[in-house]
Amino acid sequence: MQQLTSYITGKWLYGEGEGRKIYHALTGQALYEVTTEGLPLVDCLDYGRKKGGDALSAMTFQQRGQMLKAVAKHLLAHKASLYEISAQTGATKADSWVDIEGGIATLFSFAGLANRELPDDTLWPEDDMIPLSKQGQFIARHILTSRHGVALHINAFNFPCWGMLEKLAPTWLAGMPAIIKPATASAQVTHAMVRLIVESGLVPEGAIQLICGGVGDMFEHLDFEDVVTFTGSAATGQKLKSHPRLREKSIPFTMEADSLNCAILGVDVTAQQPEFPLFIKEVTREMTVKAGQKCTAIRRILVPKTQLEAVKQALLQRLSGVTMGDPAVEGVRMGALINLEQREDVHQKVMYLQQNGCELLCGGSMENLDVIGADSQKGAFYPPTLLYCADPYTHQAVHETEAFGPVATLIGYETSEQAVELAIMGGGSLAGTLVTADSLVAQDVIRKSARAHGRMLVLNEAAAAESTGHGSPLPLLVHGGPGRAGGGEELGGLRAVKHYMQRTAIQGSPSMLTSITKQWVRGSDVITDPVHPFRKYFEDLVIGDTLLTARRTVSEADLVNFACLSGDHFYAHMDKIGAAQSLFGERVAHGYFVVSAAAGLFVDAAVGPVIANYGMENLRFIEPVKIGDTIQVRLTCKKKIKKAQKTAEDKPNGVVEWDVQVFNQNNAAVALYSILTLVERREGDFAQ
């Protein structure tokens, strides 16, 4: 039997004495032994903070994003070995795909976010300047900086790869090292992935550590800059959340717990509509993918009583066609639960539900199972099980007891209001689905029930072709939920990164804040140079480089010509009588003419380092520009982001954000905005 080592303080180590055994889900064979007894687990905290934390926090967000992308590519190239080990957990190829490649896709997604939206710096100015005084010389901003701590990630058994990577991506992007503590039942899959990451040499030493087994007294040594995240049962999560050390040091703790998620068939849907088979398919899939071992799986099926019999018969027919067995055998659609212990737990919960108001419609027994290519008793197989609760108001167990397997309960309702009430009785869910063809039904149900869910899918015929489904957490969307679901948030794009960083409000003069953030703000000192800023390469531009342009007087011909060119003949620009009756009192120039004229004033027309205009942001028209007004522009280098060179043939470049202020003859601002330009770098940095 193999010993499953931990990776701590830069070494692969195994504990002392007899460990806990990990069994093959299909055969019941003992595969690995796991223990951390006698290991210096506390040492990995300080090692992570100093070794991994110092290295990661010294990297810019752009560099961290590039690291994530490189790791994702490496894991994708070695995914075959992960699929082989994942099969030991009873997962089908489709189940493993969600876990392995879904997790890798999360790395790619966060790498892309860093590339597009984060600064080429170690400090992240979170918002724009906040004025605090009349003269503008006392301002504030919120900044985000890396914590000098470690993130301890305690993960569940059902997604040993994705569960790790969905936390690891924002943690690393925040400049924080991680200690991974996978659930023992599937720790071998996490172990294999961590070994691939470590041996790749793509991440700094100490950026990732792995504990296979118990965490000992590590909680006693956590400090205020550390972070703890937990995925698993609500009972275990609440126990960890109440640890005295977490309260004493105010250590952030995020919990994502299993919940009694629901799917609602809209009151408008009948068996003849295309949404009906969509509902049946969605429920069946959520019951059988990962053998129902998903924190987002549908546990309560809420349907109008008029459609109760039709839904019951359709689900029974669909579930009867689900083939169980060895996922390696062609035609098998559902594998085993993680182990015999989990199977027994599921069975006990099913019997409890039966004793508390739920009628068994199919499944629910481990005897006489039809299993392909495996032994139904040695393997942790449990059949798709459908229950029916006739009185969900009297029998609360259906809203409180979760059988973490291929189990769901059918519940009837009379009105949409009752459906919402039943959905909320789950006490907080990670995910809910509403299948409806009626937008008013969707409006009513979602507005009333969203407060009890972390995420809700509204499914109809139009969305079905591209929908990722009820149970698919996406990197850009929040994954979490209120109440029973844990009350935390994971993923959610850049929101997830902020969870691992410290937010600080800084106050001072504009020039001081410009120096701290390395992003120019209005009111700061500027740098004048006879060389036009558009003649400078990316490396030569300095934050605060400015250009004050020549002036241009706006004429009536400008308005007429722009109207003819653009097709914009709005009365405020072209109708003398109508404009006189407007709030302007007379004709005014088109706002986009002002922007175009401003570009004409600040652009250097000759061929040079500026490659292209990349976009415009935060455009505001402050004052009208009237015929006879004279405008002038101040262009200032606001911030720079060096972009990675993807191929040797690509021209190396970076994005420069310019602050644009357009003034009139009275020195009053008439338009304020930012433009983004791609600017050539002198030297490339592409490496094969």
Side-chain angles (χ1 to χ4, degrees):
M1 190 185 307
Q2 297 183 51
Q3 294 180 333
L4 207 62
T5 54
S6 295
Y7 183 70
I8 59 174
T9 63
K11 303 169 186 175
W12 292 99
L13 301 173
Y14 189 74
E16 302 169 350
E18 184 178 355
R20 179 179 169 184
K21 293 178 175 58
I22 298 176
Y23 298 92
H24 197 297
L26 304 179
T27 67
Q29 175 190 359
L31 298 173
Y32 307 91
E33 206 167 31
V34 178
T35 181
T36 56
E37 192 68 32
L39 293 183
L41 297 179
V42 172
D43 292 350
C44 67
L45 291 171
D46 201 45
Y47 186 81
R49 293 172 189 138
K50 292 180 178 178
K51 191 78 172 179
D54 287 352
L56 284 170
S57 61
M59 298 167 67
T60 69
F61 288 99
Q62 291 292 310
Q63 290 169 334
R64 296 170 202 159
Q66 291 160 22
M67 181 188 75
L68 289 182
K69 186 175 182 180
V71 170
K73 286 182 175 180
H74 180 76
L75 292 176
L76 205 56
H78 293 83
K79 65 181 181 180
S81 63
L82 297 172
Y83 274 98
E84 289 179 15
I85 299 173
S86 180
Q88 298 172 357
T89 68
T92 66
K93 184 69 178 291
D95 296 338
S96 295
W97 180 86
V98 173
D99 185 36
I100 296 168
E101 297 190 51
I104 294 171
T106 300
L107 291 181
F108 278 121
S109 180
F110 276 90
L113 279 174
N115 179 57
R116 294 189 303 273
E117 300 189 39
L118 292 180
D120 187 22
D121 197 356
T122 58
L123 180 147
W124 178 1
E126 186 181 20
D127 48 19
D128 291 329
M129 175 190 73
I130 302 168
L132 300 176
S133 65
K134 290 184 178 180
Q135 301 301 318
Q137 285 305 302
F138 185 53
I139 64 170
R141 292 190 81 173
H142 291 94
I143 61 170
L144 294 162
T145 52
S146 298
R147 296 172 177 267
H148 195 260
V150 293
L152 176 58
H153 296 316
I154 303 172
N155 295 326
F157 72 80
N158 50 342
F159 287 98
C161 293
W162 178 87
M164 173 180 68
L165 296 179
E166 62 104 4
K167 297 181 178 72
L168 198 52
T171 300
W172 277 348
L173 204 49
M176 200 173 197
I179 298 173
I180 311 300
K181 194 291 179 203
T184 299
S186 57
Q188 72 271 33
V189 191
T190 309
H191 181 278
M193 181 171 272
V194 171
R195 185 175 285 277
L196 283 172
I197 294 172
V198 170
E199 292 179 351
S200 73
L202 294 169
V203 302
E205 180 54 54
I208 185 170
Q209 297 181 82
L210 174 72
I211 296 176
C212 292
V215 297
D217 63 347
M218 284 182 65
F219 267 63
E220 302 290 344
H221 300 273
L222 293 172
D223 211 343
F224 77 99
E225 291 193 272
D226 298 325
V227 174
V228 179
T229 69
F230 170 80
T231 299
S233 72
T236 303
Q238 291 296 341
K239 182 179 178 181
L240 294 175
K241 189 176 184 178
S242 61
H243 193 284
R245 185 69 173 183
L246 300 188
R247 295 199 302 267
E248 177 190 345
K249 294 291 184 177
S250 300
I251 296 169
F253 181 91
T254 294
M255 181 168 75
E256 187 257 282
D258 308 326
S259 57
L260 289 153
N261 312 292
C262 68
I264 304 171
L265 183 66
V267 71
D268 60 297
V269 179
T270 66
Q272 290 71 44
Q273 292 175 260
E275 281 73 19
F276 187 89
L278 289 177
F279 182 79
I280 301 302
K281 181 179 179 182
E282 198 69 29
V283 170
T284 305
R285 179 171 60 190
E286 288 301 307
M287 288 180 65
T288 56
V289 169
K290 294 286 288 186
Q293 299 169 113
K294 295 172 59 181
C295 56
T296 55
I298 294 169
R299 304 299 181 196
R300 297 174 301 144
I301 310 163
L302 310 180
V303 304
K305 288 187 176 179
T306 56
Q307 302 302 319
L308 197 56
E309 185 62 27
V311 169
K312 181 177 79 172
Q313 294 304 322
L315 283 175
L316 289 174
Q317 181 179 358
R318 188 101 182 194
L319 291 171
S320 67
V322 176
T323 51
M324 288 188 298
D326 183 348
V329 178
E330 187 176 351
V332 170
R333 290 182 53 197
M334 192 177 89
L337 300 182
I338 190 71
N339 53 33
L340 295 175
E341 182 183 9
Q342 181 65 22
R343 181 177 75 168
E344 182 59 28
D345 181 74
V346 170
H347 187 57
Q348 291 298 324
K349 296 289 177 56
V350 169
M351 289 195 298
Y352 180 79
L353 287 168
Q354 286 180 259
Q355 295 162 6
N356 288 272
C358 294
E359 174 190 347
L360 185 67
L361 300 179
C362 74
S365 173
M366 295 177 286
E367 297 179 4
N368 302 316
L369 291 181
D370 185 11
V371 173
I372 302 174
D375 188 315
S376 65
Q377 297 309 304
K378 290 182 179 179
F381 294 100
Y382 199 83
T385 299
L386 184 65
L387 301 164
Y388 168 61
C389 184
D391 188 357
Y393 288 97
T394 300
H395 301 290
Q396 295 294 309
V398 71
H399 306 298
E400 297 171 351
T401 304
E402 180 182 29
F404 201 69
V407 182
T409 302
L410 190 60
I411 300 171
Y413 71 84
E414 297 280 0
T415 64
S416 289
E417 286 74 19
Q418 196 176 77
V420 169
E421 187 177 4
L422 289 166
I424 293 174
M425 286 175 72
S429 297
L430 290 170
T433 287
L434 170 65
V435 178
T436 178
D438 189 327
S439 60
L440 293 180
V441 170
Q443 180 188 103
D444 181 49
V445 172
I446 298 299
R447 281 174 171 261
K448 292 177 179 176
S449 62
R451 62 188 171 90
H453 298 81
R455 176 166 50 89
M456 298 196 78
L457 166 66
V458 182
L459 189 63
N460 63 357
E461 186 181 21
E466 296 182 306
S467 168
T468 54
H470 164 95
S472 299
L474 299 172
L476 298 183
L477 303 183
V478 166
H479 179 54
R484 181 188 174 95
E489 290 185 355
E490 294 179 357
L491 300 180
L494 295 179
R495 295 165 62 103
V497 181
K498 294 178 181 181
H499 174 72
Y500 298 98
M501 304 194 76
Q502 176 59 45
R503 178 181 290 106
T504 305
I506 55 171
Q507 303 163 269
S509 70
S511 294
M512 282 296 185
L513 267 60
T514 290
S515 176
I516 293 167
T517 63
K518 297 183 181 179
Q519 293 185 10
W520 187 86
V521 294
R522 290 172 189 147
S524 298
D525 296 335
V526 294
I527 301 169
T528 57
D529 191 326
V531 177
H532 193 288
F534 278 22
R535 308 308 304 165
K536 296 182 179 182
Y537 285 86
F538 182 85
E539 296 90 337
D540 302 330
L541 281 166
V542 178
I543 301 300
D545 268 351
T546 194
L547 170 72
L548 185 63
T549 70
R551 299 180 180 86
R552 172 173 177 169
T553 299
V554 178
S555 67
E556 182 178 15
D558 289 328
L559 272 64
V560 173
N561 290 334
F562 189 83
C564 292
L565 181 64
S566 66
D568 179 357
H569 295 274
F570 188 60
Y571 77 91
H573 313 308
M574 305 305 296
D575 183 342
K576 186 174 181 179
I577 297 174
Q581 297 171 349
S582 73
L583 63 89
F584 303 116
E586 59 182 290
R587 293 163 65 192
V588 296
H590 307 69
Y592 294 109
F593 165 77
V594 174
V595 172
S596 299
L601 289 170
F602 67 68
V603 165
D604 184 293
V607 175
V610 175
I611 300 169
N613 187 323
Y614 195 60
M616 180 185 295
E617 295 180 344
N618 303 316
L619 172 62
R620 294 291 184 272
F621 296 117
I622 311 301
E623 294 287 342
V625 175
K626 302 177 180 179
I627 297 171
D629 281 354
T630 298
I631 60 173
Q632 188 176 24
V633 183
R634 180 174 290 281
L635 179 78
T636 308
C637 180
K638 184 175 181 180
K639 67 178 180 180
K640 300 161 54 178
I641 301 176
K642 179 182 175 182
K643 308 302 288 186
Q645 191 178 355
K646 296 180 180 179
T647 68
E649 291 74 30
D650 289 344
K651 184 176 288 187
N653 63 72
V655 175
V656 178
E657 181 175 346
W658 305 87
D659 179 80
V660 183
Q661 302 174 73
V662 186
F663 302 95
N664 63 17
Q665 66 276 8
N666 300 317
N667 207 35
V670 298
L672 302 172
Y673 54 100
S674 295
I675 61 166
L676 306 173
T677 60
L678 285 178
V679 179
E680 186 177 352
R681 291 192 278 122
R682 291 185 182 278
E683 296 182 359
D685 52 11
F686 177 75
Q688 295 287 348

